[in-house]
Amino acid sequence: MCLDNGVHFTIPIYDGVQFIGTYSQFRDITDRYDLEQQVITNEKLSIIGKMSTSLAHEIRNPLTPISGFLKLLENNFDKAKSKEYFKIINDELHRMKDLINNFVMISKPEAPRKKDVNIQTLLLETIHLMNSHGNLHNISIEFTDNIKHDLSIYVDKNQIKQVLINLIQNAIEEMNAGGEINVVLNKNRELNQIEISVIDQGCGIDPKILSDLFTPFVTTKPDGTGLGLSISQRIVKNHYGEIVVDSNKNRGTTITVTLPISIKNDRRDD
């Protein structure tokens, strides 16, 4: 039986001036509690159903060319084109593998392996890694360090780098006409945290999509899976941080990642 502690009350009973007992009233809310649990369960099942449908759709996409090229190889084996066919098949199989790995990461993310990491070095390494990709699209990536002194934070270096790569990659893909991406590092002394902003000059995000941007399989790209931002958000939350998106149609997007600064006596994730 579930009792509603919010409305129960107790009244003392006196015999003249002597306390002899109490009168209490409780309300049984078992039915309401069971109904709430059923609604929560149904919502979970609905989300799982939607994600499963989306995952099945995404897996079906690469299966179509794989089946087609295997049929071509079976019916008309052409040595001249077989190498090209096998490359396409292999690429599509890798795409399926990455899709499933990302889906597993969302449902059961790997616990971060944290250590003190110099945030400026991590940002410069990531920008250097992404510069060549940006150059191919006539995009430069600039770094603005507003802290101006070396600062270490307690994070999983590889996971945070994965988040940054994903944000910069998204910014590059949003800027069809080229331009500049600015990665800005700030320190919020009041909240004892850092703020990493990735600012692009792209076309912005449709307000209808913005509210569901971190929902798995929601994407603005024709060939996107919609898992990158979901994974990034999960990683940042596992680091006790937050991702905030500010976007204006035709005026660009700013995505800001906030992360707590290293606390030497706090090692909850060791």
Side-chain angles (χ1 to χ4, degrees):
M1 180 175 70
C2 298
L3 300 176
D4 188 345
N5 293 325
V7 298
H8 88 269
F9 62 89
T10 302
I11 300 174
I13 300 174
Y14 294 91
D15 181 10
V17 295
Q18 185 177 359
F19 175 74
I20 60 173
T22 60
Y23 169 78
S24 297
Q25 183 178 28
F26 297 87
R27 185 172 66 182
D28 182 0
I29 61 167
T30 302
D31 291 342
R32 190 180 80 184
Y33 177 82
D34 289 343
L35 181 61
E36 288 175 352
Q37 294 304 306
Q38 184 178 350
V39 170
I40 292 171
T41 301
N42 288 340
E43 287 179 351
K44 288 180 179 178
L45 290 174
S46 176
I47 292 171
I48 291 171
K50 290 177 181 177
M51 291 182 66
S52 299
T53 301
S54 299
L55 179 62
H57 174 74
E58 293 296 335
I59 290 177
R60 192 182 298 119
N61 287 338
L63 282 177
T64 301
I66 289 173
S67 300
F69 283 114
L70 285 175
K71 201 71 176 177
L72 285 174
L73 288 169
E74 179 184 7
N75 295 336
N76 184 20
F77 187 79
D78 185 342
K79 287 187 178 180
K81 291 190 175 183
S82 62
K83 187 175 181 180
E84 177 187 352
Y85 292 167
F86 280 122
K87 182 182 183 305
I88 294 172
I89 291 171
N90 192 51
D91 289 345
E92 293 300 307
L93 287 172
H94 276 294
R95 188 153 75 95
M96 288 174 61
K97 179 182 176 183
D98 290 341
L99 179 67
I100 293 170
N101 286 342
N102 288 337
F103 187 75
V104 170
M105 188 178 293
I106 291 176
S107 59
K108 190 178 181 182
E110 182 180 351
R113 299 176 181 178
K114 297 183 181 180
K115 62 180 180 180
D116 286 320
V117 175
N118 183 290
I119 186 58
Q120 285 95 344
T121 301
L122 176 58
L123 286 168
L124 287 170
E125 286 178 357
T126 308
I127 291 169
H128 179 70
L129 180 68
M130 298 301 294
N131 258 328
S132 58
H133 185 56
N135 290 336
L136 292 174
H137 295 79
N138 196 30
I139 293 171
S140 63
I141 307 172
E142 304 298 327
F143 177 45
T144 303
D145 181 5
N146 290 328
I147 297 179
K148 303 189 185 303
H149 64 82
D150 285 349
L151 179 67
S152 291
I153 59 174
Y154 192 55
V155 295
D156 184 314
K157 178 179 179 180
N158 291 329
Q159 288 192 3
I160 297 302
K161 181 179 281 190
Q162 179 184 352
V163 171
L164 296 171
I165 288 173
N166 183 63
L167 297 184
I168 295 173
Q169 173 73 24
N170 285 350
I172 290 172
E173 293 175 353
E174 287 294 322
M175 294 170 57
N176 297 324
E180 180 179 292
I181 294 171
N182 200 357
V183 179
V184 181
L185 175 63
N186 288 298
K187 180 179 180 180
N188 188 321
R189 298 180 184 277
E190 184 179 346
L191 299 177
N192 196 36
Q193 64 187 18
I194 63 162
E195 299 171 351
I196 305 167
S197 298
V198 178
I199 307 168
D200 68 46
Q201 300 171 341
C203 58
I205 302 170
D206 192 318
K208 295 178 181 178
I209 297 177
L210 195 58
S211 59
D212 295 321
L213 199 60
F214 296 101
T215 303
F217 301 109
V218 172
T219 180
T220 60
K221 294 173 282 189
D223 57 348
T225 61
L227 293 177
L229 283 177
S230 299
I231 293 170
S232 296
Q233 185 185 53
R234 180 64 65 90
I235 289 173
V236 172
K237 282 187 175 181
N238 284 347
H239 284 78
Y240 309 105
E242 185 181 10
I243 297 184
V244 177
V245 181
D246 181 21
S247 185
N248 294 298
K249 197 68 175 174
N250 301 319
R251 299 178 68 180
T253 300
T254 299
I255 299 184
T256 301
V257 176
T258 61
L259 293 167
I261 295 172
S262 177
I263 302 173
K264 292 298 181 182
N265 62 357
D266 182 6
R267 291 296 184 262
R268 287 170 287 185
D269 299 279
D270 280 349

